Amino acid sequence: MDRFHIVGGAALRGDVRVSGAKNAALPILFSTLLGGGLEIGNVPALRDIRTALSLLGHLGIQAVSLPGGEAPFVALDSAAEESGGWSGHFRLSDADESSYEAPYDLVRTMRASILCLGPLLARRKRARVSLPGGCLIGARPVDMHLNAFVRMGANISIDHGYIDANTDGLVGCDIHLPYPTVTGTENILMAAVLAKGTTCIFNAAQEPEVTDLAISLQSRGARIEGIGTSSLRIEGVPEISSCVHNVMWDRIEAGTFLVAGALLGEPLTVHGFDSSILMSLMVALSEMGASFESKDSSVTVRRIDSPKGASIRTEPYPGFPTDMQAQILPLMAIANGSSTVVETVFENRFTHVMEMNRMGANIDIHGSRAFVRGGAVLEGASVMASDLRASAGLVLAGLIANGETVIQRVYHIDRGYERIERKLEALGARIKRVREEAAP
Ligand code: UD1
């Protein structure tokens, strides 16, 4: 297992370009199970993407890597080097539609594997999908996905850790989601594309990644109204075709670099990024004293000399993203005054707090609330990454800590950030990946 060694205190200066969004690429890749093929660009070189491509291969989807392509932001050269020429551009086609099982070995590391359930049911009328794994951030059930498929005419049972589902043909209906679940909305949307009749999803998730999926489906012939809103209306069609789609940029990666800039930027410019969909984060950073210069698709931010405390509450989009909560905590830890974070999306999403406190932060957890007493001076320590975004928070804490921080288990961060250490190093950070075999 690789680890990061970070020596804190180095200023971050220069330009960084964000990669394609994992959370948009995954559902779009899984939508190829609906048939018709797809050419997709700007796919980030990440562990979760490799897992998805392996799972799709197991389900008979052939992915051919295309050189170059027209993606606006292809994978970084460094990542391509590491990953044997990753172009970020693939042609996917359904070579064999006989398989319908997503086995535990492929699903266990990635909760998003549940996204194969909807398209498999809609197209192949049968699916056997292992209950998902992924980050350890709460119970994360999939009951809303399953209830919707039952309403659409699927028979579903849970058997030895697998979801076993079949149908004579899905039929559109009204789905009222009790909560705007992101992958739930995506799963139901994909199933509805080939279902008979009309499906309306109320209280749908409005995350930009859901919109990116919907746009890609629409370009392939799906009939979807209300894209980007909380009410989606899908008129089923017998089949869809191919299109060329470039995955949107990763707003969480962009947000992580904005916080890095607010901590250490002299200045730091984040490129490839439409600031309107990160407004909640930018408002919070502004309250803490950050100022931004936006130009075309880039935003420049400088270190806040004397950050103020803030109160945030994580919420579904357009609220403050739960995926940015861990990264803003180091800034709160060193701020003048106190801060509060209320986590409303996931329970148990403060695993990074204990590690940050070991570095000298002063954060108390009471249920879903974190109370941060500011003014801490962080000290380097050996810490353990526990989930994807928690790891990013620890990296940012390490960048401002005195001395050396060693972050164990960085495989979590590799699930969602394309070679974050290379991008940070290029900005001036003193960060090294130490491979297990090279470790003393
Ligand atoms: C997606 C993102 C993840 C992000 C999260 C919230 C992907 C691949 N992952 O995760 O990065 O942190 O949205 O923005 O896009 N829930 C249920 N029953 C369900 C479904 C969800 O109770 O059937 C609950 C979950 O336990 C959680 C909340 O709803 O408490 C939100 O979950 P959801 O929006 O589904 O998150 P994911 O789609 O898993």
Side-chain angles (χ1 to χ4, degrees):
M1 271 180 253
D2 294 358
R3 56 190 195 232
F4 285 158
H5 287 237
I6 303 171
V7 178
L12 301 180
R13 195 176 290 115
D15 303 87
V16 64
R17 184 173 287 282
V18 293
S19 303
K22 165 181 91 75
N23 285 356
L26 289 173
I28 297 171
L29 287 172
F30 283 116
S31 75
T32 56
L33 291 166
L34 292 168
L38 177 67
E39 206 175 304
I40 181 170
N42 202 28
V43 179
L46 299 173
R47 219 159 65 92
D48 273 9
I49 298 291
R50 289 173 213 285
T51 306
L53 290 173
S54 302
L55 179 52
L56 286 170
H58 180 85
L59 290 166
I61 301 289
Q62 206 171 54
V64 178
S65 177
L66 302 176
E70 291 168 11
F73 318 118
V74 293
L76 284 187
D77 290 344
S78 54
E81 206 177 276
E82 282 284 324
S83 52
W86 184 275
S87 71
H89 200 103
F90 295 89
R91 180 177 298 123
L92 293 107
S93 50
D94 38 347
D96 172 10
E97 296 200 309
S98 59
S99 175
Y100 56 84
E101 179 165 327
Y104 175 68
D105 274 354
L106 287 171
V107 169
R108 71 190 159 84
T109 55
M110 190 177 75
R111 173 179 160 86
S113 313
I114 190 69
L115 287 166
C116 65
L117 182 58
L120 277 177
L121 258 180
R123 172 84 176 177
R124 303 186 190 178
K125 301 196 168 37
R126 175 110 211 244
R128 194 171 144 77
V129 179
S130 172
L131 282 165
C135 287
L136 294 173
I137 51 171
R140 305 187 86 180
V142 290
D143 54 316
M144 295 180 217
H145 305 229
L146 303 189
N147 291 342
F149 295 139
V150 168
R151 279 187 52 74
M152 294 172 81
N155 306 305
I156 296 187
S157 57
I158 307 286
D159 162 37
H160 292 94
Y162 275 80
I163 301 162
D164 218 323
N166 62 70
T167 178
D168 293 333
L170 295 180
V171 180
C173 64
D174 286 356
I175 308 281
H176 295 264
L177 288 173
Y179 185 89
T181 158
V182 175
T183 46
T185 301
E186 293 165 346
N187 227 346
I188 301 162
L189 168 63
M190 288 190 278
V193 162
L194 296 186
K196 202 167 168 207
T198 306
T199 305
C200 293
I201 310 175
F202 299 102
N203 199 23
Q206 299 173 67
E207 267 66 5
E209 295 76 17
V210 179
T211 298
D212 205 30
L213 167 68
I215 289 170
S216 75
L217 290 168
Q218 206 175 38
S219 307
R220 295 166 67 193
R223 294 171 62 186
I224 308 169
E225 288 171 21
I227 294 177
T229 74
S230 62
S231 299
L232 294 170
R233 186 174 191 278
I234 307 111
E235 199 77 55
V237 293
E239 54 182 24
I240 56 172
S241 54
S242 184
C243 77
V244 180
H245 184 84
N246 284 317
V247 174
M248 66 176 285
W249 57 273
D250 194 318
R251 66 192 165 106
I252 303 302
E253 188 196 11
T256 303
F257 281 110
L258 285 186
V259 178
L263 288 165
L264 292 157
E266 282 198 358
L268 190 162
T269 302
V270 189
H271 293 273
F273 135 62
D274 162 13
S275 54
S276 69
I277 53 179
L278 258 183
M279 224 16 105
S280 55
L281 171 70
M282 291 172 72
V283 166
L285 290 175
S286 301
E287 279 169 15
M288 298 183 83
S291 54
F292 303 99
E293 288 160 39
S294 303
K295 194 175 161 208
D296 301 325
S297 59
S298 58
V299 175
T300 300
V301 60
R302 283 165 205 277
R303 184 170 74 89
I304 310 172
D305 284 331
S306 184
K308 296 190 273 282
S311 290
I312 60 162
R313 184 184 168 86
T314 66
E315 279 170 343
Y317 186 82
F320 189 95
T322 175
D323 283 354
M324 279 306 305
Q325 176 255 100
Q327 298 91 315
I328 203 168
L329 275 177
L331 185 59
M332 291 175 161
I334 61 166
N336 295 316
S338 53
S339 300
T340 315
V341 175
V342 183
E343 172 59 60
T344 75
V345 181
F346 290 111
E347 75 271 36
N348 192 24
R349 204 174 194 180
F350 285 124
T351 52
H352 40 281
V353 164
M354 213 179 356
E355 298 299 83
M356 287 182 191
N357 281 349
R358 291 183 53 246
M359 296 175 74
N362 202 337
I363 309 172
D364 286 328
I365 304 294
H366 295 282
S368 60
R369 281 166 199 269
F371 297 98
V372 189
R373 270 189 293 279
V377 177
L378 300 189
E379 302 289 342
S382 185
V383 294
M384 190 83 83
S386 54
D387 72 53
L388 166 52
R389 306 304 170 186
S391 321
L394 291 175
V395 167
L396 295 182
L399 290 176
I400 53 167
N402 291 325
E404 188 180 55
T405 297
V406 178
I407 304 181
Q408 315 275 355
R409 297 197 181 171
V410 299
Y411 61 84
H412 286 295
I413 207 164
D414 292 337
R415 287 188 42 218
Y417 288 84
E418 204 176 53
R419 303 300 294 195
I420 192 171
E421 78 280 18
R422 294 277 177 96
K423 292 190 180 184
L424 285 169
E425 204 181 6
L427 291 167
R430 284 172 290 181
I431 177 169
K432 289 270 174 284
R433 177 184 292 259
V434 177
R435 299 209 178 273
E436 166 104 311
E437 57 275 15

